[in-house]
Amino acid sequence: MARSYQLDPIADVAFFDSAPITHVIDVKLPVTPARAWAEFTRQNTLDWCRAIKSIQFTSPPPYGVNTSRGASLGVVNLAEHFFVWDEDTATGNYRNAFYATSASVPGLKRFGEMTEIRPAVVGCRLIWKFALELQTSAKAVTSFSKPTAAQAFKTVETDTLRHFAKLPTQS
C-alpha cells in the first residue's frame, strides 16, 4: 500500500490569495458557462491535461460541499475534499474549491484549488486558482519550486485552452 501524508485543511477561500505559493489561470473559454462547468465537474475531468493521469470523484453525484475526489498527477496522488460548491444556473456563475487531505509524497502542508466560471460577452471566463504551502522542512524541494510549478501551470493552461477550443460552443 502506498504511503500517505496528511495535509492541513484550508479554512476559507482567502488562502487562495494569501498562500505562500499561488498561481492563477485567468482565461476566456469559447463555450457557455454551463458547458465549461459540466467539463470541470464530470467524472474523469481534466483528462485533457498532459500533467494529470486521472481524476476520479469518490463520492456519488450530485456533487457539492463534502464531495471527495482522488487525483493522480503522475508522481503525486492526492485525496481531495470540496469545501465550496456554488452553482447558479440562472446567472451562469459557478464556483468550487477543494483542499487536499493527503498526498503520496511528503513536504506539503496545504494544497488546494478554486475554480470559478463566469459569463463573458462571448463564452465564459475561467478563473482557476492554485494555492500551496510547504512544510518548513520542505522549503527547498525543487519539484515545487516556482519555475518548475510555473511550467506545469502553463502546460495545464495550454491544454485547457486547446480542449475547450475543440468543444461545441453550446451546452
mmCIF file of all heavy atoms in Angstrom, residues 23-30 40 46-52 126 128 130 149-167:
data_model
loop_
_atom_site.group_PDB
_atom_site.id
_atom_site.type_symbol
_atom_site.label_atom_id
_atom_site.label_comp_id
_atom_site.label_asym_id
_atom_site.label_seq_id
_atom_site.Cartn_x
_atom_site.Cartn_y
_atom_site.Cartn_z
ATOM 1 N N HIS A 23 -0.889 30.469 -7.830
ATOM 2 C CA HIS A 23 -0.888 30.633 -9.284
ATOM 3 C C HIS A 23 -2.332 30.796 -9.723
ATOM 4 O O HIS A 23 -3.235 30.145 -9.177
ATOM 5 C CB HIS A 23 -0.252 29.431 -9.989
ATOM 6 C CG HIS A 23 -0.128 29.650 -11.459
ATOM 7 N ND1 HIS A 23 0.892 30.387 -12.011
ATOM 8 C CD2 HIS A 23 -0.924 29.282 -12.484
ATOM 9 C CE1 HIS A 23 0.719 30.445 -13.319
ATOM 10 N NE2 HIS A 23 -0.366 29.780 -13.634
ATOM 11 N N VAL A 24 -2.545 31.660 -10.706
ATOM 12 C CA VAL A 24 -3.889 31.890 -11.234
ATOM 13 C C VAL A 24 -3.863 31.722 -12.745
ATOM 14 O O VAL A 24 -3.020 32.309 -13.425
ATOM 15 C CB VAL A 24 -4.410 33.303 -10.881
ATOM 16 C CG1 VAL A 24 -5.790 33.539 -11.491
ATOM 17 C CG2 VAL A 24 -4.442 33.512 -9.382
ATOM 18 N N ILE A 25 -4.794 30.928 -13.231
ATOM 19 C CA ILE A 25 -5.066 30.846 -14.665
ATOM 20 C C ILE A 25 -6.366 31.628 -14.863
ATOM 21 O O ILE A 25 -7.390 31.290 -14.273
ATOM 22 C CB ILE A 25 -5.227 29.385 -15.129
ATOM 23 C CG1 ILE A 25 -3.901 28.632 -14.979
ATOM 24 C CG2 ILE A 25 -5.744 29.334 -16.570
ATOM 25 C CD1 ILE A 25 -3.996 27.135 -15.255
ATOM 26 N N ASP A 26 -6.318 32.678 -15.646
ATOM 27 C CA ASP A 26 -7.486 33.539 -15.889
ATOM 28 C C ASP A 26 -7.613 33.686 -17.397
ATOM 29 O O ASP A 26 -6.852 34.430 -18.022
ATOM 30 C CB ASP A 26 -7.281 34.889 -15.202
ATOM 31 C CG ASP A 26 -8.525 35.775 -15.249
ATOM 32 O OD1 ASP A 26 -9.428 35.529 -16.076
ATOM 33 O OD2 ASP A 26 -8.575 36.728 -14.445
ATOM 34 N N VAL A 27 -8.556 32.931 -17.983
ATOM 35 C CA VAL A 27 -8.684 32.879 -19.440
ATOM 36 C C VAL A 27 -10.155 32.916 -19.847
ATOM 37 O O VAL A 27 -11.047 32.609 -19.065
ATOM 38 C CB VAL A 27 -8.023 31.609 -20.018
ATOM 39 C CG1 VAL A 27 -6.514 31.626 -19.809
ATOM 40 C CG2 VAL A 27 -8.631 30.349 -19.433
ATOM 41 N N LYS A 28 -10.372 33.266 -21.102
ATOM 42 C CA LYS A 28 -11.703 33.202 -21.696
ATOM 43 C C LYS A 28 -11.813 31.876 -22.436
ATOM 44 O O LYS A 28 -10.863 31.443 -23.106
ATOM 45 C CB LYS A 28 -11.914 34.360 -22.675
ATOM 46 C CG LYS A 28 -11.798 35.730 -22.040
ATOM 47 C CD LYS A 28 -13.136 36.270 -21.637
ATOM 48 C CE LYS A 28 -13.083 37.571 -20.883
ATOM 49 N NZ LYS A 28 -12.516 38.698 -21.538
ATOM 50 N N LEU A 29 -12.975 31.233 -22.297
ATOM 51 C CA LEU A 29 -13.236 29.977 -22.995
ATOM 52 C C LEU A 29 -14.385 30.196 -23.974
ATOM 53 O O LEU A 29 -15.361 30.883 -23.635
ATOM 54 C CB LEU A 29 -13.596 28.869 -21.999
ATOM 55 C CG LEU A 29 -12.540 28.546 -20.936
ATOM 56 C CD1 LEU A 29 -13.077 27.491 -19.975
ATOM 57 C CD2 LEU A 29 -11.244 28.078 -21.585
ATOM 58 N N PRO A 30 -14.339 29.583 -25.148
ATOM 59 C CA PRO A 30 -15.360 29.815 -26.171
ATOM 60 C C PRO A 30 -16.600 28.923 -26.022
ATOM 61 O O PRO A 30 -17.167 28.468 -27.022
ATOM 62 C CB PRO A 30 -14.600 29.503 -27.463
ATOM 63 C CG PRO A 30 -13.672 28.401 -27.062
ATOM 64 C CD PRO A 30 -13.238 28.768 -25.659
ATOM 65 N N PHE A 40 -15.668 20.680 -16.100
ATOM 66 C CA PHE A 40 -14.834 20.700 -14.897
ATOM 67 C C PHE A 40 -15.400 19.857 -13.760
ATOM 68 O O PHE A 40 -14.690 19.578 -12.795
ATOM 69 C CB PHE A 40 -14.616 22.143 -14.406
ATOM 70 C CG PHE A 40 -13.446 22.808 -15.061
ATOM 71 C CD1 PHE A 40 -13.635 23.596 -16.196
ATOM 72 C CD2 PHE A 40 -12.157 22.644 -14.584
ATOM 73 C CE1 PHE A 40 -12.562 24.202 -16.817
ATOM 74 C CE2 PHE A 40 -11.077 23.239 -15.198
ATOM 75 C CZ PHE A 40 -11.285 24.029 -16.328
ATOM 76 N N LEU A 46 -10.415 16.880 -16.495
ATOM 77 C CA LEU A 46 -9.022 17.243 -16.746
ATOM 78 C C LEU A 46 -8.254 16.161 -17.503
ATOM 79 O O LEU A 46 -7.021 16.178 -17.540
ATOM 80 C CB LEU A 46 -8.289 17.622 -15.454
ATOM 81 C CG LEU A 46 -8.943 18.745 -14.645
ATOM 82 C CD1 LEU A 46 -8.146 19.028 -13.381
ATOM 83 C CD2 LEU A 46 -9.104 20.002 -15.471
ATOM 84 N N ASP A 47 -8.978 15.246 -18.142
ATOM 85 C CA ASP A 47 -8.321 14.224 -18.954
ATOM 86 C C ASP A 47 -7.616 14.849 -20.163
ATOM 87 O O ASP A 47 -6.820 14.200 -20.818
ATOM 88 C CB ASP A 47 -9.298 13.127 -19.381
ATOM 89 C CG ASP A 47 -10.543 13.657 -20.072
ATOM 90 O OD1 ASP A 47 -10.747 14.889 -20.137
ATOM 91 O OD2 ASP A 47 -11.341 12.829 -20.542
ATOM 92 N N TRP A 48 -7.897 16.113 -20.414
ATOM 93 C CA TRP A 48 -7.234 16.828 -21.498
ATOM 94 C C TRP A 48 -5.848 17.353 -21.101
ATOM 95 O O TRP A 48 -5.095 17.802 -21.946
ATOM 96 C CB TRP A 48 -8.105 17.993 -21.985
ATOM 97 C CG TRP A 48 -8.410 19.035 -20.933
ATOM 98 C CD1 TRP A 48 -7.612 20.073 -20.543
ATOM 99 C CD2 TRP A 48 -9.597 19.147 -20.163
ATOM 100 N NE1 TRP A 48 -8.221 20.826 -19.575
ATOM 101 C CE2 TRP A 48 -9.462 20.286 -19.322
ATOM 102 C CE3 TRP A 48 -10.786 18.412 -20.092
ATOM 103 C CZ2 TRP A 48 -10.442 20.695 -18.429
ATOM 104 C CZ3 TRP A 48 -11.764 18.832 -19.205
ATOM 105 C CH2 TRP A 48 -11.595 19.951 -18.383
ATOM 106 N N CYS A 49 -5.515 17.302 -19.829
ATOM 107 C CA CYS A 49 -4.242 17.843 -19.343
ATOM 108 C C CYS A 49 -3.153 16.774 -19.325
ATOM 109 O O CYS A 49 -3.297 15.739 -18.671
ATOM 110 C CB CYS A 49 -4.407 18.408 -17.938
ATOM 111 S SG CYS A 49 -5.427 19.880 -17.879
ATOM 112 N N ARG A 50 -2.070 17.053 -20.003
ATOM 113 C CA ARG A 50 -0.945 16.107 -20.057
ATOM 114 C C ARG A 50 -0.328 15.872 -18.684
ATOM 115 O O ARG A 50 0.238 14.813 -18.429
ATOM 116 C CB ARG A 50 0.136 16.617 -21.007
ATOM 117 C CG ARG A 50 -0.280 16.601 -22.464
ATOM 118 C CD ARG A 50 0.725 17.319 -23.322
ATOM 119 N NE ARG A 50 0.488 18.767 -23.185
ATOM 120 C CZ ARG A 50 1.325 19.700 -23.595
ATOM 121 N NH1 ARG A 50 2.472 19.374 -24.145
ATOM 122 N NH2 ARG A 50 1.034 20.969 -23.453
ATOM 123 N N ALA A 51 -0.424 16.855 -17.785
ATOM 124 C CA ALA A 51 0.204 16.746 -16.463
ATOM 125 C C ALA A 51 -0.604 15.895 -15.482
ATOM 126 O O ALA A 51 -0.138 15.617 -14.386
ATOM 127 C CB ALA A 51 0.407 18.147 -15.880
ATOM 128 N N ILE A 52 -1.800 15.483 -15.886
ATOM 129 C CA ILE A 52 -2.692 14.759 -14.974
ATOM 130 C C ILE A 52 -2.982 13.375 -15.533
ATOM 131 O O ILE A 52 -3.412 13.242 -16.678
ATOM 132 C CB ILE A 52 -3.996 15.559 -14.771
ATOM 133 C CG1 ILE A 52 -3.654 16.903 -14.121
ATOM 134 C CG2 ILE A 52 -4.995 14.774 -13.947
ATOM 135 C CD1 ILE A 52 -4.781 17.885 -14.096
ATOM 136 N N LEU A 126 -12.845 31.725 -17.149
ATOM 137 C CA LEU A 126 -12.378 30.740 -16.181
ATOM 138 C C LEU A 126 -11.310 31.387 -15.312
ATOM 139 O O LEU A 126 -10.317 31.907 -15.832
ATOM 140 C CB LEU A 126 -11.788 29.520 -16.901
ATOM 141 C CG LEU A 126 -10.970 28.554 -16.045
ATOM 142 C CD1 LEU A 126 -11.858 27.840 -15.021
ATOM 143 C CD2 LEU A 126 -10.241 27.544 -16.931
ATOM 144 N N TRP A 128 -9.003 30.081 -12.332
ATOM 145 C CA TRP A 128 -8.606 28.825 -11.695
ATOM 146 C C TRP A 128 -7.415 29.123 -10.796
ATOM 147 O O TRP A 128 -6.326 29.433 -11.279
ATOM 148 C CB TRP A 128 -8.242 27.847 -12.791
ATOM 149 C CG TRP A 128 -8.101 26.417 -12.451
ATOM 150 C CD1 TRP A 128 -8.200 25.814 -11.237
ATOM 151 C CD2 TRP A 128 -7.808 25.370 -13.385
ATOM 152 N NE1 TRP A 128 -7.989 24.464 -11.348
ATOM 153 C CE2 TRP A 128 -7.755 24.172 -12.669
ATOM 154 C CE3 TRP A 128 -7.592 25.350 -14.763
ATOM 155 C CZ2 TRP A 128 -7.493 22.954 -13.283
ATOM 156 C CZ3 TRP A 128 -7.328 24.141 -15.368
ATOM 157 C CH2 TRP A 128 -7.282 22.954 -14.627
ATOM 158 N N PHE A 130 -4.711 28.214 -7.707
ATOM 159 C CA PHE A 130 -3.971 27.143 -7.051
ATOM 160 C C PHE A 130 -3.235 27.756 -5.861
ATOM 161 O O PHE A 130 -2.658 28.840 -5.979
ATOM 162 C CB PHE A 130 -2.944 26.532 -8.002
ATOM 163 C CG PHE A 130 -3.532 25.996 -9.277
ATOM 164 C CD1 PHE A 130 -3.813 26.843 -10.348
ATOM 165 C CD2 PHE A 130 -3.801 24.649 -9.409
ATOM 166 C CE1 PHE A 130 -4.356 26.351 -11.525
ATOM 167 C CE2 PHE A 130 -4.344 24.139 -10.584
ATOM 168 C CZ PHE A 130 -4.631 24.995 -11.640
ATOM 169 N N ALA A 149 6.927 24.865 -11.070
ATOM 170 C CA ALA A 149 5.470 24.960 -10.962
ATOM 171 C C ALA A 149 4.905 25.829 -12.077
ATOM 172 O O ALA A 149 3.872 25.495 -12.669
ATOM 173 C CB ALA A 149 5.077 25.507 -9.595
ATOM 174 N N ALA A 150 5.571 26.935 -12.389
ATOM 175 C CA ALA A 150 5.080 27.830 -13.445
ATOM 176 C C ALA A 150 4.991 27.098 -14.779
ATOM 177 O O ALA A 150 4.020 27.285 -15.523
ATOM 178 C CB ALA A 150 5.983 29.055 -13.554
ATOM 179 N N GLN A 151 5.963 26.254 -15.081
ATOM 180 C CA GLN A 151 5.931 25.493 -16.327
ATOM 181 C C GLN A 151 4.780 24.493 -16.325
ATOM 182 O O GLN A 151 4.085 24.332 -17.319
ATOM 183 C CB GLN A 151 7.261 24.773 -16.568
ATOM 184 C CG GLN A 151 7.292 24.016 -17.881
ATOM 185 C CD GLN A 151 7.015 24.907 -19.080
ATOM 186 O OE1 GLN A 151 7.579 25.991 -19.207
ATOM 187 N NE2 GLN A 151 6.146 24.462 -19.974
ATOM 188 N N ALA A 152 4.560 23.829 -15.197
ATOM 189 C CA ALA A 152 3.442 22.879 -15.094
ATOM 190 C C ALA A 152 2.107 23.594 -15.272
ATOM 191 O O ALA A 152 1.224 23.110 -15.990
ATOM 192 C CB ALA A 152 3.493 22.156 -13.751
ATOM 193 N N PHE A 153 1.953 24.747 -14.640
ATOM 194 C CA PHE A 153 0.699 25.504 -14.766
ATOM 195 C C PHE A 153 0.496 25.995 -16.197
ATOM 196 O O PHE A 153 -0.628 26.010 -16.701
ATOM 197 C CB PHE A 153 0.669 26.684 -13.798
ATOM 198 C CG PHE A 153 0.520 26.266 -12.352
ATOM 199 C CD1 PHE A 153 1.402 26.730 -11.392
ATOM 200 C CD2 PHE A 153 -0.500 25.420 -11.950
ATOM 201 C CE1 PHE A 153 1.275 26.355 -10.059
ATOM 202 C CE2 PHE A 153 -0.643 25.036 -10.631
ATOM 203 C CZ PHE A 153 0.244 25.509 -9.676
ATOM 204 N N LYS A 154 1.568 26.395 -16.862
ATOM 205 C CA LYS A 154 1.460 26.840 -18.255
ATOM 206 C C LYS A 154 0.997 25.693 -19.144
ATOM 207 O O LYS A 154 0.170 25.893 -20.044
ATOM 208 C CB LYS A 154 2.802 27.397 -18.741
ATOM 209 C CG LYS A 154 2.700 28.071 -20.085
ATOM 210 C CD LYS A 154 1.762 29.269 -20.015
ATOM 211 C CE LYS A 154 1.614 29.947 -21.357
ATOM 212 N NZ LYS A 154 0.503 30.907 -21.351
ATOM 213 N N THR A 155 1.483 24.485 -18.881
ATOM 214 C CA THR A 155 1.038 23.311 -19.637
ATOM 215 C C THR A 155 -0.448 23.053 -19.400
ATOM 216 O O THR A 155 -1.195 22.789 -20.349
ATOM 217 C CB THR A 155 1.873 22.069 -19.242
ATOM 218 O OG1 THR A 155 3.238 22.322 -19.554
ATOM 219 C CG2 THR A 155 1.402 20.824 -19.977
ATOM 220 N N VAL A 156 -0.892 23.149 -18.150
ATOM 221 C CA VAL A 156 -2.317 22.961 -17.832
ATOM 222 C C VAL A 156 -3.159 24.013 -18.550
ATOM 223 O O VAL A 156 -4.196 23.705 -19.140
ATOM 224 C CB VAL A 156 -2.548 23.002 -16.302
ATOM 225 C CG1 VAL A 156 -4.028 23.088 -15.974
ATOM 226 C CG2 VAL A 156 -1.917 21.782 -15.639
ATOM 227 N N GLU A 157 -2.711 25.257 -18.535
ATOM 228 C CA GLU A 157 -3.449 26.335 -19.210
ATOM 229 C C GLU A 157 -3.530 26.089 -20.715
ATOM 230 O O GLU A 157 -4.608 26.176 -21.312
ATOM 231 C CB GLU A 157 -2.778 27.677 -18.932
ATOM 232 C CG GLU A 157 -3.484 28.840 -19.596
ATOM 233 C CD GLU A 157 -2.863 30.185 -19.268
ATOM 234 O OE1 GLU A 157 -2.243 30.334 -18.185
ATOM 235 O OE2 GLU A 157 -2.999 31.104 -20.093
ATOM 236 N N THR A 158 -2.404 25.758 -21.334
ATOM 237 C CA THR A 158 -2.369 25.498 -22.775
ATOM 238 C C THR A 158 -3.287 24.328 -23.138
ATOM 239 O O THR A 158 -4.065 24.411 -24.095
ATOM 240 C CB THR A 158 -0.922 25.197 -23.225
ATOM 241 O OG1 THR A 158 -0.118 26.341 -22.941
ATOM 242 C CG2 THR A 158 -0.849 24.860 -24.704
ATOM 243 N N ASP A 159 -3.203 23.241 -22.377
ATOM 244 C CA ASP A 159 -4.041 22.070 -22.647
ATOM 245 C C ASP A 159 -5.519 22.395 -22.473
ATOM 246 O O ASP A 159 -6.373 21.907 -23.225
ATOM 247 C CB ASP A 159 -3.655 20.910 -21.728
ATOM 248 C CG ASP A 159 -2.287 20.326 -22.052
ATOM 249 O OD1 ASP A 159 -1.701 20.673 -23.101
ATOM 250 O OD2 ASP A 159 -1.791 19.530 -21.234
ATOM 251 N N THR A 160 -5.853 23.220 -21.468
ATOM 252 C CA THR A 160 -7.247 23.592 -21.218
ATOM 253 C C THR A 160 -7.789 24.441 -22.366
ATOM 254 O O THR A 160 -8.899 24.192 -22.865
ATOM 255 C CB THR A 160 -7.368 24.319 -19.868
ATOM 256 O OG1 THR A 160 -6.953 23.418 -18.831
ATOM 257 C CG2 THR A 160 -8.793 24.774 -19.604
ATOM 258 N N LEU A 161 -7.036 25.425 -22.799
ATOM 259 C CA LEU A 161 -7.479 26.259 -23.929
ATOM 260 C C LEU A 161 -7.665 25.418 -25.187
ATOM 261 O O LEU A 161 -8.646 25.587 -25.918
ATOM 262 C CB LEU A 161 -6.474 27.386 -24.167
ATOM 263 C CG LEU A 161 -6.456 28.479 -23.104
ATOM 264 C CD1 LEU A 161 -5.264 29.404 -23.300
ATOM 265 C CD2 LEU A 161 -7.764 29.252 -23.097
ATOM 266 N N ARG A 162 -6.754 24.505 -25.437
ATOM 267 C CA ARG A 162 -6.844 23.626 -26.610
ATOM 268 C C ARG A 162 -8.102 22.746 -26.528
ATOM 269 O O ARG A 162 -8.826 22.591 -27.511
ATOM 270 C CB ARG A 162 -5.582 22.768 -26.709
ATOM 271 C CG ARG A 162 -5.517 21.918 -27.969
ATOM 272 C CD ARG A 162 -4.198 21.161 -28.057
ATOM 273 N NE ARG A 162 -3.085 22.092 -28.200
ATOM 274 C CZ ARG A 162 -1.974 22.048 -27.464
ATOM 275 N NH1 ARG A 162 -1.806 21.126 -26.548
ATOM 276 N NH2 ARG A 162 -1.015 22.925 -27.660
ATOM 277 N N HIS A 163 -8.357 22.189 -25.339
ATOM 278 C CA HIS A 163 -9.523 21.324 -25.154
ATOM 279 C C HIS A 163 -10.826 22.077 -25.422
ATOM 280 O O HIS A 163 -11.687 21.606 -26.168
ATOM 281 C CB HIS A 163 -9.528 20.760 -23.732
ATOM 282 C CG HIS A 163 -10.769 20.018 -23.379
ATOM 283 N ND1 HIS A 163 -11.057 18.765 -23.868
ATOM 284 C CD2 HIS A 163 -11.828 20.360 -22.585
ATOM 285 C CE1 HIS A 163 -12.228 18.358 -23.392
ATOM 286 N NE2 HIS A 163 -12.710 19.308 -22.618
ATOM 287 N N PHE A 164 -10.972 23.238 -24.815
ATOM 288 C CA PHE A 164 -12.228 23.972 -24.959
ATOM 289 C C PHE A 164 -12.403 24.562 -26.356
ATOM 290 O O PHE A 164 -13.534 24.747 -26.804
ATOM 291 C CB PHE A 164 -12.349 25.051 -23.873
ATOM 292 C CG PHE A 164 -12.796 24.469 -22.560
ATOM 293 C CD1 PHE A 164 -11.876 24.112 -21.577
ATOM 294 C CD2 PHE A 164 -14.149 24.235 -22.288
ATOM 295 C CE1 PHE A 164 -12.282 23.551 -20.395
ATOM 296 C CE2 PHE A 164 -14.565 23.671 -21.093
ATOM 297 C CZ PHE A 164 -13.631 23.331 -20.137
ATOM 298 N N ALA A 165 -11.335 24.805 -27.070
ATOM 299 C CA ALA A 165 -11.435 25.297 -28.447
ATOM 300 C C ALA A 165 -12.031 24.224 -29.367
ATOM 301 O O ALA A 165 -12.624 24.554 -30.394
ATOM 302 C CB ALA A 165 -10.056 25.717 -28.957
ATOM 303 N N LYS A 166 -11.898 22.964 -28.991
ATOM 304 C CA LYS A 166 -12.410 21.854 -29.810
ATOM 305 C C LYS A 166 -13.869 21.504 -29.511
ATOM 306 O O LYS A 166 -14.486 20.745 -30.256
ATOM 307 C CB LYS A 166 -11.556 20.610 -29.597
ATOM 308 C CG LYS A 166 -10.125 20.745 -30.067
ATOM 309 C CD LYS A 166 -9.354 19.489 -29.732
ATOM 310 C CE LYS A 166 -7.893 19.614 -30.079
ATOM 311 N NZ LYS A 166 -7.131 18.436 -29.677
ATOM 312 N N LEU A 167 -14.418 22.021 -28.390
ATOM 313 C CA LEU A 167 -15.775 21.656 -27.989
ATOM 314 C C LEU A 167 -16.818 22.484 -28.741
ATOM 315 O O LEU A 167 -16.545 23.632 -29.100
ATOM 316 C CB LEU A 167 -15.978 21.899 -26.494
ATOM 317 C CG LEU A 167 -15.212 20.994 -25.535
ATOM 318 C CD1 LEU A 167 -15.512 21.406 -24.098
ATOM 319 C CD2 LEU A 167 -15.583 19.546 -25.736
#
